[in-house]
Amino acid sequence: MATVSAAITTADGTTAVAAGTHSHDLLESLDRPEAPLLVSPQDARELSRQFFARLAVLEEGTHEYQYVRNTLIEMNLSLVRYAAGRFRSRGADEMEDIVQVGTIGLIKAIDRFDVSREVEFTTFAVPCIVGEIKRFFRDTSWAVHVPRRLQEARVELAKATEELRSRLGRTPTVRELSELMSLTEEEVIEARKASNAYNSASLDAALSGDAAQDSEAALADFIGEEERALELIEDFHSLAPLIAQLDDRDRRILHMRFVMELTQAQIGEQLDISQMHVSRLLNRIIKRLRKGLLETAA
């Protein structure tokens, strides 16, 4: 059994140091609840003071230390439920995740709490729990990840827009928003664009309303256009080995005609041959490449 020098607060408020006190004896002096999860918030506040005092003098990693720490977690889970209640508008499906993340915040608060600062644990813990939940939303809720400064700017933009709309009776301009938020107009515009990354919709999701003529219509049916250049990519890949088989002059002719976009007469001048000869050479080269492509496709 581990032996420690313990600082114990007596009934009259004085502090006594019990050198050589066994950690088991420290636990025996605690008011240990039979069901920590069922302890009321008021009782948990009083009991937590005792448990934090013991946690401060117990050796980390011992059975006694783990018992005190775990009991503190269980007794204060009501703080997590209280903090999670602020986010109930997000729906029941997310509430389980919110409580789990809030519990992580509670554990971090217990590990960081310093009893010597004479601050109520609830005062210290609730901001830690809420902060952990907000970080969770900031890191996971965005459909497309954007920098943290833009995530925060989006929140401020929404507040400023609502404030000015109620004050002016209309939608505020970018300049008015920039003056209220102490940002440049470019930063306000950037924050607006970042807001579009918060939610996303599937291109295959069925549409309803006037835009869709039937229930099977999807967003992808109404946006975008065909890019014919993309259809040529496969042909380019197939052409590469065929062009590599040509001799230097044929490759040069192809380059001058289709890359440099020279006329047949200009090509003839550079090669010191007639325009008619260039035309025959181009026809022969193109027929050879077309035949090679057809054989590849077959």
Side-chain angles (χ1 to χ4, degrees):
M1 187 68 65
T3 301
V4 296
S5 295
I8 301 176
T9 303
T10 60
D12 60 0
T14 60
T15 301
V17 178
T21 303
H22 288 287
S23 56
H24 176 73
D25 296 334
L26 292 175
L27 292 185
E28 288 299 325
S29 63
L30 282 174
D31 294 329
R32 291 189 280 180
E34 294 183 3
L37 289 172
L38 301 180
V39 174
S40 67
Q42 184 175 357
D43 291 339
R45 182 177 301 180
E46 297 298 325
L47 287 171
S48 292
R49 294 192 184 100
Q50 299 181 35
F51 274 74
F52 273 117
R54 297 301 185 273
L55 193 69
V57 297
L58 288 170
E59 183 180 352
E60 188 173 351
T62 62
H63 170 74
E64 291 78 9
Y65 180 93
Q66 292 300 325
Y67 166 77
V68 173
R69 182 173 179 267
N70 292 340
T71 304
L72 278 168
I73 295 170
E74 294 177 4
M75 287 194 302
N76 288 283
L77 283 175
S78 60
L79 297 177
V80 176
R81 293 189 291 270
Y82 167 76
R86 302 185 183 185
F87 305 92
R88 64 171 61 91
S89 61
R90 291 183 172 268
D93 293 340
E94 289 192 64
M95 190 53 63
E96 183 178 350
D97 290 336
I98 293 173
V99 171
Q100 289 181 0
V101 174
T103 303
I104 295 174
L106 172 64
I107 294 171
K108 290 181 178 180
I110 290 173
D111 291 339
R112 297 170 184 170
F113 185 61
D114 185 357
V115 292
S116 65
R117 305 180 84 175
E118 298 183 355
V119 176
E120 283 286 348
F121 176 66
T122 53
T123 304
F124 175 80
V126 171
C128 292
I129 296 169
V130 172
E132 194 71 26
I133 294 172
K134 287 183 176 180
R135 275 191 293 274
F136 167 73
F137 287 134
R138 185 170 57 232
D139 295 338
T140 62
S141 295
W142 289 73
V144 178
H145 180 74
V146 299
R148 180 172 298 180
R149 65 177 181 83
L150 290 179
Q151 295 180 19
E152 295 171 351
R154 169 185 173 272
V155 177
E156 296 303 319
L157 177 64
K159 293 179 181 177
T161 302
E162 187 60 32
E163 179 181 340
L164 288 176
R165 183 182 286 118
S166 60
R167 186 193 306 172
L168 303 173
R170 58 174 173 80
T171 301
T173 64
V174 172
R175 176 175 295 180
E176 291 167 339
L177 288 168
S178 68
E179 292 175 354
L180 179 62
M181 298 174 65
S182 299
L183 297 175
T184 65
E185 293 185 20
E186 289 75 14
E187 289 172 328
V188 172
I189 294 172
E190 192 178 21
R192 277 184 171 177
K193 291 180 179 179
S195 299
N196 297 330
Y198 189 77
N199 295 313
S200 64
S202 172
L203 293 178
D204 297 323
L207 294 177
S208 59
D210 297 337
Q213 297 179 355
D214 56 71
S215 59
E216 299 299 322
L219 180 60
D221 299 329
F222 298 92
I223 64 174
E225 58 184 18
E226 291 186 5
E227 177 56 70
R228 297 192 60 82
L230 291 176
E231 300 176 1
L232 300 176
I233 293 178
E234 186 175 350
D235 291 338
F236 290 154
H237 281 288
S238 300
L239 271 174
L242 299 177
I243 293 176
Q245 295 173 7
L246 299 175
D247 58 35
D248 292 341
R249 189 182 70 166
D250 287 351
R251 285 199 299 270
R252 185 182 177 190
I253 292 173
L254 281 178
H255 181 82
M256 288 189 289
R257 182 68 187 92
F258 298 105
V259 178
M260 300 175 64
E261 297 184 347
L262 300 182
T263 64
Q264 293 181 2
Q266 291 171 326
I267 295 172
E269 290 177 2
Q270 293 201 25
L271 298 180
D272 196 21
I273 57 178
S274 67
Q275 180 267 330
M276 186 64 67
H277 192 190
V278 171
S279 177
R280 287 196 297 268
L281 290 174
L282 277 171
N283 287 333
R284 177 178 59 79
I285 295 170
I286 292 173
K287 286 181 180 178
R288 178 178 174 180
L289 294 177
R290 182 182 291 115
K291 180 180 178 182
L293 283 175
L294 292 175
E295 290 176 352
T296 301

